Amino acid sequence: MKNLKKVIWATAIVGLIICGFIAYNIYDAIFSPNTAFENDQAYVFINSDASMNDLMEQLEPLLKEASSFEAVAKRKGYTTNIKGGKYAIKKGMNNNEIINTLRSNNLPVRVSFNNQETLNALAGRIAEQIEADSMSLLSAFNDQNFLLDNNFNDATKLGMYLPNTYEFFWNTNAEAFRERMKKEYDKFWNNERIAKAEVINLSLNEVITLAAIVQKETVKIDERPRVAGVYLNRLKRGMLLQADPTVIYAIKEETGNYDTIIKRVLYRDLEMDSPYNTYKYPGIPPGPITMPDISSIDAVLSSEEHNYLYFVADVSNFGYHMFAKTLAQHNRNKEQYVRWLNNQNISR
């Protein structure tokens, strides 16, 4: 009888030891730090259709014990509910904290783009910053039903995208990016701006198209309202806009090479038969030649009132221009610019 009691006690003690060991290992797997990097935090980018194997390819270099993470992830049901996005894993996190982070702490990313001349270029720029690839973005940008429903066409569609910095979740798809840009466009065109467009008798697309020319003419934000005033004066008088940037764009469009650098427009270029050649065709071109900044759009909407009809680059104050009210005065101003081009051996 005594021996039986000893056996029972011994068995019980061994059982407690085993249970304690198991409990310790479970606790250790869940709550012990399991990061293997020295920085304060590391980022992981999870695709929307990622599998557990895809995730582990990113996580393994960051973890001390990948197997314990996988075990806890399975126990918590995460392996069948992986969510795409950008996540920050902090140094010293345990498996439980890592999984909770991957479940609910998708971080936004800052998406920026500047004055792209084509939607192809925009798609490539955006694809570098979010999950959507350039082909899916370009397809969304060119969707004819979307364009028709939102009063755009192939010539004006570039104008919907306002250069700026925006916050997105990294796992944003192409259609969601496009829809967000349309919302930003609608927000920009508030009642005040729409009223200003009506005062100068231009549609929203025409304002953006003219702003794109202003954008290309001057990098100086403080000069843009004056340049815009020149073009509006020309439109009021029924004059040709005669904007060199539109001719340069026409050349790029014809060749399909938008990386072409043209520093000097030649007389033969002015004969080019393109609706973007404002030396040949009156009025505003069919669409924007680049994505104008907000400053350029507002420059058109709130242009400087003056009587200038001409301007040319001022070589004594680079970046700015010399303005003239008469052609004779303009031709005198132009001489200093032509001399400078020749002295610099700029022939194209």
Side-chain angles (χ1 to χ4, degrees), residues 146-185:
F146 173 84
L147 296 176
L148 184 63
D149 290 344
N150 291 283
N151 196 33
F152 292 103
N153 56 41
D154 286 332
T156 62
K157 60 190 176 185
L158 191 69
M160 195 188 84
Y161 302 89
L162 302 176
N164 213 328
T165 298
Y166 305 92
E167 278 199 350
F168 283 89
F169 287 116
W170 179 80
N171 55 315
T172 299
N173 63 33
E175 289 74 18
F177 176 82
R178 181 193 64 193
E179 296 301 328
R180 167 71 183 282
M181 288 297 94
K182 179 58 168 60
K183 287 181 181 179
E184 294 293 338
Y185 176 88

Side-chain angles (χ1 to χ4, degrees), residues 23-50:
Y24 172 79
N25 279 294
I26 293 174
Y27 180 90
D28 185 63
I30 296 174
F31 297 110
S32 291
N34 192 27
T35 56
F37 51 87
E38 294 302 320
N39 294 334
D40 290 337
Q41 59 187 8
Y43 294 103
V44 293
F45 295 83
I46 305 174
N47 289 332
S48 298
D49 60 353

Side-chain angles (χ1 to χ4, degrees), residues 89-138:
I89 309 301
K90 296 181 180 179
K91 181 181 178 181
M93 273 187 167
N94 57 48
N95 288 327
N96 190 59
E97 291 169 328
I98 294 172
I99 292 165
N100 288 343
T101 294
L102 297 179
R103 270 182 167 165
S104 60
N105 198 20
N106 190 2
L107 299 176
V109 296
R110 293 171 67 82
V111 175
S112 301
F113 60 92
N114 54 11
N115 316 99
Q116 308 295 328
E117 292 185 9
T118 67
L119 288 178
N120 294 56
L122 176 64
R125 179 80 181 96
I126 300 305
E128 295 172 351
Q129 301 175 78
I130 62 174
E131 182 183 1
D133 62 71
S134 58
M135 292 301 293
S136 65
L137 286 162
L138 196 57

Side-chain angles (χ1 to χ4, degrees), residues 122-329:
L122 176 64
R125 179 80 181 96
I126 300 305
E128 295 172 351
Q129 301 175 78
I130 62 174
E131 182 183 1
D133 62 71
S134 58
M135 292 301 293
S136 65
L137 286 162
L138 196 57
S139 177
F141 297 163
N142 290 319
D143 183 281
Q144 292 300 311
N145 290 328
F146 173 84
L147 296 176
L148 184 63
D149 290 344
N150 291 283
N151 196 33
F152 292 103
N153 56 41
D154 286 332
T156 62
K157 60 190 176 185
L158 191 69
M160 195 188 84
Y161 302 89
L162 302 176
N164 213 328
T165 298
Y166 305 92
E167 278 199 350
F168 283 89
F169 287 116
W170 179 80
N171 55 315
T172 299
N173 63 33
E175 289 74 18
F177 176 82
R178 181 193 64 193
E179 296 301 328
R180 167 71 183 282
M181 288 297 94
K182 179 58 168 60
K183 287 181 181 179
E184 294 293 338
Y185 176 88
D186 292 338
K187 185 165 62 175
F188 173 80
W189 283 109
N190 54 31
N191 291 336
E192 181 181 358
R193 286 192 173 99
I194 291 173
K196 287 182 177 180
E198 290 173 350
V199 167
I200 59 177
N201 198 30
L202 296 180
S203 69
L204 306 190
N205 285 325
E206 287 174 328
V207 170
I208 287 182
T209 300
L210 189 58
I213 298 174
V214 173
Q215 177 80 34
K216 283 291 189 179
E217 288 285 17
T218 179
V219 298
K220 301 297 185 181
I221 293 176
D222 61 326
E223 192 184 51
R224 286 174 180 168
R226 178 168 291 189
V227 171
V230 170
Y231 286 126
L232 288 171
N233 285 344
R234 282 177 162 258
L235 288 171
K236 290 174 186 175
R237 288 164 175 76
M239 298 172 63
L240 292 170
L241 291 184
Q242 295 186 326
D244 286 1
T246 65
V247 178
I248 293 172
Y249 181 83
I251 295 170
K252 292 179 177 182
E253 186 188 44
E254 183 178 74
T255 62
N257 183 6
Y258 290 89
D259 294 325
T260 301
I261 297 175
I262 299 174
K263 296 182 178 180
R264 187 172 189 171
V265 173
L266 306 177
Y267 284 113
R268 69 169 183 263
D269 298 328
L270 307 184
E271 297 303 317
M272 188 174 191
D273 189 16
S274 166
Y276 290 94
N277 183 356
T278 55
Y279 281 83
K280 195 175 185 70
Y281 289 93
I284 296 173
I289 60 175
T290 191
M291 296 173 186
D293 288 346
I294 289 174
S295 64
S296 293
I297 301 173
D298 283 338
V300 172
L301 294 173
S302 302
S303 65
E304 182 179 313
E305 293 188 13
H306 53 62
N307 295 317
Y308 295 127
L309 293 171
Y310 308 91
F311 63 95
V312 67
D314 184 353
V315 298
S316 66
N317 190 13
F318 279 105
Y320 286 96
H321 294 78
M322 300 175 71
F323 294 80
K325 298 176 183 178
T326 67
L327 183 58
Q329 183 186 2

